[in-house]
Amino acid sequence: EPEVTQTPSHQVTQMGQEVILRCVPISNHLYFYWYRQILGQKVEFLVSFYNNEISEKSEIFDDQFSVERPDGSNFTLKIRSTKLEDSAMYFCASTRGYEQYFGPGTRLTVT
Amino acid sequence: GQQVMQIPQYQHVQEGEDFTTYCNSSTTLSNIQWYKQRPGGHPVFLIQLVKSGEVKKQKRLTFQFGEAKKNSSLHITATQTTDVGTYFCAGKRQTSGSRLTFGEGTQLTVNP
């Protein structure tokens, strides 16, 4: 069964550094998402992406964040200058209809 | 902004007991989805409810969507240890495109 993959599984970075989180959505899916989940808390929507552009973004998704689909398979989330409060699990998800398929996540630790 | 609240936050049951989690939205929803997240895992889609008053069943799981499309529930009959995890509802507003707003989740533990 096809699945969403994410790399790396764990990223440790220093405050102020840039990080890029990578996702490979399921190949025939059209909508892509990034969510984050701070440890023990709920899943929070960051951004949705369709037809090579952002379709919606949340209040969390400020100028420090950006997304790209640099080629036909990858979908990336960049955080320009990480803060301590960016430490969380970041999930990528994709869908063709309404059922969102989540990747295994990248645990980002900002020190 | 839209809020989706879920209760209880935690539920501990003995294997074989029933379990229910409730979800309430501050705004009318277009539809509601339910996801399960095992400890250390990622959310996995369970079901989507679209119609007012809709009831759907998946084996021991029963999902309901309220008449006003602002609340929902998930009921598990005769829990098993494999039911352990956090159950999230996620609502989609009528004007929000495909954005999902997740509830806080109910963490279920099942004692064998």
XYZ file of all heavy atoms in Angstrom, chain A residues 3-89:
721
model
N 2.410 4.856 0.773
C 2.394 5.637 1.996
C 3.202 6.917 1.833
O 4.041 7.034 0.933
C 2.920 4.815 3.176
C 4.239 4.127 2.926
C 4.647 3.198 4.058
O 3.767 2.627 4.746
O 5.864 3.039 4.260
N 2.927 7.857 2.727
C 3.662 9.112 2.768
C 4.957 8.857 3.539
O 4.934 8.213 4.595
C 2.828 10.198 3.477
C 3.613 11.491 3.604
C 1.512 10.426 2.736
N 6.058 9.337 3.007
C 7.333 9.184 3.716
C 7.877 10.565 4.080
O 7.594 11.565 3.395
C 8.370 8.420 2.880
O 8.586 9.118 1.651
C 7.885 7.015 2.565
N 8.631 10.605 5.176
C 9.206 11.855 5.639
C 10.649 11.628 6.075
O 10.973 10.588 6.663
C 8.418 12.407 6.834
C 7.068 12.959 6.468
C 6.374 13.615 7.655
O 5.336 13.157 8.130
N 6.955 14.708 8.138
N 11.486 12.613 5.775
C 12.872 12.568 6.241
C 13.294 13.956 6.718
O 12.796 14.976 6.208
C 13.834 12.142 5.108
O 13.619 12.989 3.971
C 13.642 10.696 4.725
N 14.199 14.032 7.716
C 14.650 12.908 8.535
C 13.586 12.532 9.565
O 12.586 13.231 9.702
C 15.887 13.495 9.229
C 15.556 14.950 9.387
C 14.754 15.327 8.163
N 13.805 11.451 10.276
C 12.855 11.086 11.325
C 13.060 11.960 12.558
O 12.123 12.240 13.297
C 12.992 9.608 11.688
O 14.311 9.328 12.088
N 14.302 12.405 12.766
C 14.606 13.269 13.903
C 15.658 14.284 13.470
O 16.643 13.916 12.816
C 15.121 12.429 15.082
C 15.193 13.182 16.374
N 15.753 12.647 17.519
C 14.774 14.425 16.717
C 15.682 13.538 18.503
N 15.093 14.621 18.037
N 15.396 15.544 13.781
C 16.325 16.612 13.444
C 16.578 17.433 14.704
O 15.633 17.916 15.327
C 15.712 17.500 12.355
C 16.502 18.740 12.014
C 17.479 18.505 10.890
O 17.140 17.970 9.842
N 18.707 18.915 11.109
N 17.849 17.571 15.032
C 18.215 18.431 16.160
C 18.934 19.638 15.576
O 19.844 19.493 14.758
C 19.131 17.697 17.161
C 19.470 18.618 18.321
C 18.464 16.428 17.668
N 18.531 20.825 15.985
C 19.137 22.028 15.448
C 19.281 23.070 16.540
O 18.601 23.014 17.565
C 18.303 22.584 14.282
O 19.019 23.620 13.628
C 16.980 23.151 14.778
N 20.146 24.022 16.289
C 20.317 25.100 17.261
C 19.385 26.252 16.903
O 19.094 26.501 15.724
C 21.770 25.578 17.265
C 22.719 24.591 17.912
C 24.085 25.204 18.153
O 24.552 26.019 17.353
N 24.733 24.818 19.233
N 18.958 26.945 17.930
C 18.105 28.113 17.761
C 18.726 29.068 16.736
O 19.931 29.312 16.756
C 17.990 28.810 19.117
C 16.841 29.736 19.266
S 16.573 30.165 21.003
C 18.178 30.720 21.501
N 17.879 29.566 15.822
C 18.361 30.493 14.812
C 18.789 29.838 13.512
O 18.960 30.520 12.496
N 18.940 28.516 13.533
C 19.332 27.810 12.312
C 18.122 27.540 11.430
O 16.983 27.478 11.898
C 20.008 26.484 12.667
C 21.326 26.635 13.404
C 22.372 27.330 12.573
O 22.707 26.890 11.463
N 22.911 28.425 13.079
N 18.404 27.328 10.163
C 17.358 26.973 9.202
C 17.253 25.449 9.116
O 18.265 24.746 9.178
C 17.729 27.534 7.834
C 16.795 27.112 6.709
C 17.255 27.648 5.358
O 17.115 28.865 5.134
O 17.746 26.835 4.545
N 16.027 24.964 9.003
C 15.836 23.529 8.784
C 14.893 23.319 7.613
O 14.012 24.149 7.349
C 15.265 22.798 10.026
C 16.257 22.804 11.167
C 13.934 23.364 10.443
N 15.102 22.229 6.931
C 14.194 21.822 5.852
C 13.719 20.409 6.146
O 14.527 19.493 6.304
C 14.878 21.869 4.475
C 15.302 23.292 4.142
C 13.937 21.335 3.391
C 16.074 23.436 2.841
N 12.425 20.273 6.237
C 11.808 18.968 6.464
C 11.239 18.489 5.136
O 10.593 19.259 4.418
C 10.703 19.073 7.523
C 11.076 19.791 8.818
C 9.909 19.750 9.796
C 12.312 19.211 9.439
N 11.484 17.226 4.855
C 11.114 16.699 3.542
C 10.024 15.644 3.625
O 9.959 14.864 4.572
C 12.342 16.120 2.851
C 13.349 17.178 2.459
C 14.530 16.642 1.700
N 15.262 17.719 1.044
C 16.114 18.551 1.637
N 16.358 18.409 2.916
N 16.704 19.510 0.966
N 9.208 15.627 2.606
C 8.078 14.707 2.541
C 7.939 14.233 1.100
O 8.153 15.002 0.163
C 6.820 15.456 2.982
S 5.257 14.615 2.664
N 7.603 12.973 0.953
C 7.201 12.456 -0.353
C 5.764 11.990 -0.217
O 5.487 10.961 0.399
C 8.103 11.305 -0.828
C 7.629 10.797 -2.200
C 9.557 11.753 -0.906
N 4.822 12.765 -0.756
C 3.409 12.372 -0.662
C 3.124 11.155 -1.545
O 3.956 10.753 -2.364
C 2.672 13.605 -1.189
C 3.674 14.714 -1.192
C 5.006 14.061 -1.377
N 1.944 10.606 -1.393
C 1.520 9.503 -2.254
C 1.357 10.026 -3.675
O 0.807 11.121 -3.884
C 0.220 8.879 -1.713
C 0.515 8.241 -0.350
C -0.353 7.854 -2.680
C -0.687 7.734 0.405
N 1.815 9.250 -4.635
C 2.093 9.785 -5.972
C 0.885 10.359 -6.706
O 1.030 11.327 -7.436
C 2.756 8.723 -6.848
O 1.877 7.635 -7.015
N -0.292 9.836 -6.565
C -1.415 10.384 -7.321
C -2.273 11.333 -6.493
O -3.398 11.665 -6.876
C -2.267 9.243 -7.895
C -2.893 8.394 -6.802
O -2.558 8.549 -5.618
N -3.802 7.522 -7.176
N -1.741 11.784 -5.368
C -2.477 12.722 -4.539
C -2.258 14.150 -5.017
O -1.240 14.472 -5.627
C -2.077 12.577 -3.062
C -2.649 11.366 -2.418
N -2.561 11.122 -1.067
C -3.348 10.326 -2.934
C -3.176 9.989 -0.788
N -3.657 9.481 -1.905
N -3.248 14.982 -4.722
C -3.259 16.332 -5.277
C -3.116 17.421 -4.223
O -2.727 18.535 -4.537
C -4.572 16.552 -6.034
C -4.868 15.548 -7.157
C -6.269 15.799 -7.706
C -3.828 15.653 -8.257
N -3.506 17.096 -2.987
C -3.490 18.087 -1.915
C -2.445 17.654 -0.904
O -2.401 16.487 -0.511
C -4.854 18.163 -1.219
C -5.986 18.547 -2.129
C -6.639 17.590 -2.905
C -6.416 19.868 -2.213
C -7.678 17.944 -3.743
C -7.465 20.229 -3.045
C -8.091 19.258 -3.814
O -9.112 19.608 -4.636
N -1.688 18.631 -0.405
C -0.617 18.324 0.528
C -0.707 19.265 1.724
O -1.137 20.420 1.578
C 0.747 18.473 -0.159
C 0.795 17.833 -1.517
C 0.922 18.596 -2.660
C 0.688 16.458 -1.646
C 0.947 18.009 -3.904
C 0.706 15.863 -2.895
C 0.835 16.646 -4.033
N -0.309 18.746 2.861
C -0.473 19.495 4.105
C 0.758 19.329 4.986
O 1.440 18.306 4.940
C -1.679 18.956 4.911
C -2.958 18.895 4.140
C -3.257 17.798 3.341
C -3.887 19.930 4.205
C -4.434 17.738 2.628
C -5.069 19.872 3.499
C -5.331 18.766 2.712
O -6.503 18.712 2.005
N 0.977 20.345 5.825
C 1.883 20.203 6.961
C 1.101 20.503 8.226
O 0.329 21.474 8.281
C 3.072 21.157 6.852
C 4.113 20.702 5.884
C 4.324 21.155 4.612
C 5.112 19.702 6.114
N 5.376 20.490 4.033
C 5.883 19.590 4.929
C 5.455 18.879 7.195
C 6.952 18.710 4.799
C 6.505 18.000 7.065
C 7.251 17.923 5.882
N 1.340 19.648 9.225
C 0.779 19.825 10.554
C 1.934 19.749 11.549
O 2.977 19.167 11.260
C -0.204 18.691 10.900
C -1.468 18.653 10.085
C -1.525 17.946 8.881
C -2.613 19.298 10.523
C -2.695 17.896 8.138
C -3.799 19.241 9.794
C -3.815 18.539 8.600
O -4.976 18.489 7.873
N 1.699 20.287 12.729
C 2.657 20.045 13.792
C 1.923 19.577 15.040
O 0.736 19.852 15.215
C 3.483 21.292 14.098
C 2.797 22.307 14.964
C 3.709 23.401 15.432
N 2.991 24.285 16.351
C 3.429 25.460 16.735
N 4.597 25.915 16.297
N 2.722 26.187 17.565
N 2.655 18.863 15.882
C 2.089 18.367 17.125
C 3.160 18.510 18.203
O 4.158 17.792 18.198
C 1.643 16.908 16.988
C 0.916 16.373 18.215
C 0.429 14.946 18.019
O 1.076 14.141 17.339
N -0.709 14.623 18.601
N 2.926 19.465 19.088
C 3.803 19.586 20.249
C 3.521 18.401 21.154
O 2.377 17.950 21.262
C 3.563 20.935 20.950
C 3.982 22.066 20.001
C 4.316 21.024 22.254
C 3.557 23.447 20.424
N 4.556 17.894 21.800
C 4.466 16.660 22.569
C 3.258 16.649 23.500
O 3.087 17.556 24.327
C 5.749 16.468 23.379
C 5.879 15.142 24.126
C 5.893 13.975 23.161
C 7.139 15.142 25.002
N 2.426 15.642 23.329
C 1.271 15.469 24.212
C 0.089 16.360 23.891
O -0.905 16.344 24.621
N 0.181 17.127 22.810
C -0.899 18.050 22.486
C -1.594 17.650 21.183
O -1.323 16.610 20.623
C -0.354 19.473 22.423
C 0.217 19.950 23.750
C 0.619 21.402 23.723
O 0.114 22.188 22.907
N 1.525 21.791 24.605
N -2.495 18.508 20.748
C -3.272 18.169 19.565
C -2.493 18.449 18.293
O -1.460 19.119 18.299
C -4.583 18.959 19.550
C -4.408 20.447 19.380
C -5.753 21.130 19.338
C -5.595 22.634 19.232
N -6.910 23.306 19.201
N -3.006 17.929 17.208
C -2.430 18.153 15.889
C -2.899 19.523 15.401
O -4.103 19.813 15.422
C -2.892 17.049 14.920
C -2.375 17.304 13.518
C -2.441 15.676 15.431
N -1.961 20.357 14.968
C -2.301 21.718 14.531
C -1.996 21.895 13.045
O -0.881 21.602 12.597
C -1.484 22.751 15.315
C -1.748 22.753 16.806
C -0.842 23.753 17.510
O 0.368 23.492 17.577
O -1.367 24.783 17.980
N -2.951 22.404 12.322
C -2.788 22.680 10.907
C -1.800 23.825 10.697
O -1.861 24.852 11.381
C -4.148 23.052 10.316
C -4.117 23.603 8.918
C -4.065 22.754 7.831
C -4.150 24.963 8.701
C -4.059 23.259 6.540
C -4.142 25.488 7.425
C -4.095 24.635 6.338
N -0.897 23.642 9.755
C 0.016 24.725 9.381
C -0.356 25.305 8.018
O -0.585 26.499 7.875
C 1.462 24.219 9.323
C 2.113 23.818 10.629
C 3.513 23.284 10.379
C 2.151 24.971 11.611
N -0.408 24.427 7.006
C -0.567 24.917 5.643
C -1.099 23.807 4.754
O -0.852 22.632 4.991
C 0.796 25.436 5.126
C 1.796 24.296 4.983
C 0.671 26.220 3.838
N -1.856 24.219 3.733
C -2.267 23.283 2.691
C -1.772 23.810 1.351
O -1.607 25.017 1.159
C -3.789 23.097 2.682
O -4.439 24.332 2.470
N -1.560 22.880 0.447
C -0.885 23.205 -0.823
C -1.588 22.437 -1.924
O -1.805 21.225 -1.823
C 0.575 22.752 -0.704
C 1.505 23.272 -1.751
C 2.099 24.506 -1.603
C 1.847 22.500 -2.846
C 3.002 24.985 -2.536
C 2.748 22.970 -3.789
C 3.326 24.212 -3.632
N -1.954 23.176 -2.970
C -2.646 22.532 -4.082
C -2.275 23.251 -5.359
O -2.196 24.488 -5.380
C -4.168 22.588 -3.853
C -4.994 22.173 -5.047
C -5.039 20.837 -5.433
C -5.704 23.112 -5.792
C -5.785 20.453 -6.541
C -6.440 22.725 -6.895
C -6.481 21.396 -7.268
O -7.214 21.006 -8.362
N -2.047 22.505 -6.401
C -1.763 23.100 -7.705
C -0.577 24.055 -7.637
O -0.611 25.157 -8.204
C -3.024 23.813 -8.211
C -3.046 23.960 -9.712
O -2.405 23.192 -10.426
N -3.774 24.954 -10.189
N 0.436 23.615 -6.904
C 1.700 24.357 -6.795
C 1.608 25.697 -6.090
O 2.454 26.580 -6.318
C 2.342 24.549 -8.177
C 2.965 23.265 -8.666
O 3.554 22.531 -7.879
N 2.812 22.981 -9.933
N 0.589 25.847 -5.263
C 0.558 27.063 -4.463
C -0.153 26.805 -3.135
O -0.908 25.836 -3.002
C -0.116 28.209 -5.213
C -1.529 27.969 -5.631
C -2.105 29.130 -6.429
O -1.335 29.886 -7.030
O -3.333 29.279 -6.420
N 0.108 27.687 -2.178
C -0.539 27.572 -0.877
C -2.020 27.867 -1.044
O -2.402 28.884 -1.633
C 0.093 28.548 0.136
C 1.509 28.095 0.481
C -0.757 28.657 1.384
C 2.273 29.087 1.350
N -2.879 26.966 -0.536
C -4.315 27.221 -0.610
C -4.855 27.774 0.700
O -5.800 28.555 0.703
C -5.091 25.971 -1.032
O -4.697 24.864 -0.255
N -4.257 27.373 1.808
C -4.642 27.925 3.106
C -3.453 27.861 4.049
O -2.621 26.969 3.913
C -5.754 27.082 3.746
C -7.147 27.505 3.456
C -8.149 26.712 4.264
O -8.348 25.525 3.955
O -8.734 27.282 5.201
N -3.398 28.788 4.992
C -2.381 28.694 6.026
C -2.958 29.181 7.347
O -3.893 29.981 7.370
C -1.135 29.485 5.651
C -1.367 30.944 5.392
C -0.064 31.602 4.933
C -0.298 33.089 4.679
N 0.951 33.763 4.267
N -2.374 28.677 8.427
C -2.858 29.064 9.750
C -2.045 30.240 10.289
O -1.055 30.666 9.682
C -2.767 27.876 10.710
O -1.415 27.640 11.062
N -2.480 30.680 11.466
C -1.800 31.799 12.131
C -0.375 31.404 12.541
O 0.500 32.233 12.697
C -2.566 32.202 13.391
C -4.078 32.373 13.217
C -4.826 31.061 12.983
O -4.541 30.046 13.655
O -5.694 31.049 12.073
N -0.156 30.120 12.716
C 1.174 29.646 13.102
C 2.153 29.822 11.937
O 3.335 30.096 12.130
C 1.127 28.149 13.482
C 0.131 27.908 14.615
C 2.504 27.628 13.856
C -0.199 26.440 14.825
N 1.666 29.676 10.743
C 2.502 29.678 9.533
C 2.848 31.128 9.188
O 2.222 31.746 8.319
C 1.753 28.993 8.395
C 2.614 28.658 7.206
C 3.275 27.447 7.141
C 2.758 29.548 6.147
C 4.065 27.109 6.041
C 3.545 29.229 5.050
C 4.194 28.010 5.004
N 3.852 31.678 9.912
C 4.230 33.070 9.658
C 5.387 33.123 8.660
O 5.690 32.138 7.989
C 4.578 33.742 10.994
C 5.747 33.083 11.702
O 6.552 32.385 11.040
O 5.869 33.257 12.928
N 6.021 34.293 8.582
C 7.050 34.505 7.560
C 8.279 33.616 7.742
O 9.116 33.530 6.847
C 7.491 35.973 7.565
C 6.388 36.890 7.093
O 5.436 36.380 6.470
O 6.470 38.100 7.359
N 8.394 32.994 8.901
C 9.517 32.098 9.139
C 9.357 30.769 8.390
O 10.317 30.031 8.237
C 9.626 31.784 10.640
C 10.016 32.972 11.485
C 11.465 33.332 11.273
O 11.824 34.054 10.344
N 12.323 32.811 12.107
N 8.139 30.477 7.981
C 7.838 29.204 7.340
C 7.655 29.392 5.835
O 7.142 30.413 5.379
C 6.537 28.610 7.904
C 6.615 28.159 9.329
C 6.367 29.050 10.365
C 6.921 26.848 9.645
C 6.430 28.628 11.695
C 6.973 26.413 10.969
C 6.725 27.310 11.986
N 8.045 28.389 5.095
C 7.734 28.362 3.668
C 7.618 26.908 3.223
O 8.160 26.007 3.866
C 8.794 29.094 2.831
O 10.049 28.469 2.975
N 6.884 26.705 2.147
C 6.730 25.365 1.589
C 7.063 25.415 0.105
O 6.902 26.441 -0.549
C 5.306 24.791 1.778
C 5.054 24.426 3.224
C 4.250 25.734 1.251
N 7.517 24.259 -0.368
C 7.865 24.150 -1.784
C 7.583 22.752 -2.250
O 7.649 21.787 -1.490
C 9.374 24.386 -1.970
C 9.765 25.775 -2.304
C 11.214 25.846 -2.779
O 12.005 24.919 -2.514
O 11.530 26.855 -3.421
N 7.284 22.682 -3.540
C 7.243 21.367 -4.189
C 8.249 21.462 -5.328
O 7.899 21.796 -6.456
C 5.837 21.103 -4.694
C 5.618 19.705 -5.182
C 4.156 19.343 -5.107
N 3.811 18.226 -5.974
C 4.024 16.947 -5.677
N 4.569 16.628 -4.536
N 3.659 15.993 -6.507
N 9.518 21.234 -5.016
C 10.594 21.528 -5.964
C 10.606 20.630 -7.206
O 11.129 21.005 -8.228
C 11.864 21.322 -5.129
C 11.465 20.406 -4.032
C 10.033 20.702 -3.738
N 10.003 19.462 -7.073
C 9.931 18.568 -8.233
C 8.607 17.822 -8.140
O 7.767 18.159 -7.323
C 11.135 17.613 -8.254
C 11.283 16.879 -6.929
O 10.259 16.429 -6.378
O 12.406 16.779 -6.435
N 8.436 16.809 -8.950
C 7.138 16.142 -8.972
C 6.842 15.261 -7.798
O 5.728 14.768 -7.660
N 7.847 15.056 -6.902
C 7.595 14.102 -5.826
C 7.783 14.695 -4.434
O 7.054 14.346 -3.526
C 8.483 12.875 -5.989
O 9.840 13.242 -5.983
N 8.729 15.605 -4.248
C 9.000 16.085 -2.902
C 8.140 17.281 -2.530
O 7.725 18.068 -3.378
C 10.473 16.496 -2.791
C 11.383 15.298 -2.801
O 11.499 14.594 -1.815
N 12.008 15.040 -3.945
N 7.893 17.413 -1.232
C 7.154 18.547 -0.672
C 7.901 18.930 0.589
O 8.091 18.091 1.475
C 5.719 18.099 -0.380
C 4.822 19.142 0.205
C 4.721 20.409 -0.351
C 4.027 18.855 1.308
C 3.884 21.373 0.181
C 3.177 19.806 1.852
C 3.114 21.064 1.284
N 8.387 20.169 0.648
C 9.258 20.532 1.761
C 8.670 21.653 2.601
O 7.918 22.505 2.103
C 10.647 20.981 1.257
O 10.484 22.145 0.449
C 11.330 19.894 0.462
N 9.045 21.636 3.877
C 8.715 22.704 4.811
C 10.028 23.280 5.302
O 10.871 22.546 5.823
C 7.898 22.170 5.992
C 7.610 23.165 7.127
C 6.623 24.236 6.666
C 7.041 22.445 8.358
N 10.206 24.589 5.118
C 11.414 25.248 5.589
C 11.066 26.167 6.738
O 10.095 26.936 6.662
C 12.062 26.058 4.468
C 13.386 26.704 4.870
C 13.860 27.749 3.881
C 14.295 27.175 2.582
N 14.886 28.212 1.685
N 11.864 26.082 7.784
C 11.758 27.044 8.880
C 13.051 27.841 8.855
O 14.139 27.277 9.035
C 11.559 26.362 10.247
C 10.422 25.346 10.187
C 11.258 27.424 11.316
C 10.229 24.545 11.475
N 12.929 29.138 8.627
C 14.115 29.958 8.344
C 15.019 30.153 9.544
O 16.213 30.013 9.445
C 13.691 31.322 7.811
C 13.859 31.480 6.329
C 13.402 32.838 5.866
N 11.975 32.881 5.684
C 11.347 32.374 4.626
N 12.016 31.773 3.685
N 10.037 32.455 4.522
N 14.479 30.487 10.654
C 15.279 30.774 11.842
C 14.542 30.156 13.033
O 13.616 30.752 13.585
C 15.435 32.286 12.029
O 16.151 32.571 13.216
N 14.965 28.952 13.387
C 14.182 28.187 14.363
C 14.220 28.810 15.750
O 15.227 29.415 16.169
C 14.712 26.744 14.443
O 16.145 26.785 14.592
C 14.357 25.964 13.193
N 13.094 28.636 16.449
C 12.986 29.081 17.837
C 12.769 27.838 18.707
O 12.378 26.777 18.206
C 11.776 30.011 18.005
C 11.732 31.172 17.049
C 10.532 32.046 17.353
C 10.285 33.001 16.210
N 9.116 32.768 15.444
N 12.982 28.011 19.991
C 12.778 26.886 20.911
C 11.360 26.329 20.794
O 11.159 25.109 20.832
C 13.038 27.313 22.359
C 14.476 27.677 22.711
C 14.558 28.184 24.150
C 15.415 26.498 22.514
N 10.392 27.230 20.627
C 8.990 26.794 20.580
C 8.612 26.095 19.276
O 7.479 25.646 19.129
C 8.045 27.978 20.839
C 8.270 29.178 19.963
C 9.173 30.234 20.585
O 10.146 29.862 21.304
O 8.933 31.426 20.346
N 9.545 26.020 18.332
C 9.291 25.238 17.113
C 9.518 23.754 17.344
O 9.234 22.932 16.459
C 10.200 25.708 15.968
C 9.878 27.118 15.506
O 8.687 27.504 15.552
O 10.812 27.838 15.114
N 10.039 23.389 18.499
C 10.248 21.969 18.812
C 8.903 21.256 18.830
O 7.992 21.632 19.570
C 10.920 21.820 20.177
O 12.226 22.339 20.152
N 8.772 20.256 17.988
C 7.502 19.546 17.840
C 7.703 18.402 16.853
O 8.757 18.272 16.227
C 6.413 20.482 17.298
N 6.654 17.598 16.711
C 6.609 16.613 15.636
C 5.911 17.273 14.458
O 4.850 17.883 14.634
C 5.836 15.381 16.096
C 5.782 14.286 15.067
S 7.374 13.446 14.880
C 7.199 12.181 16.117
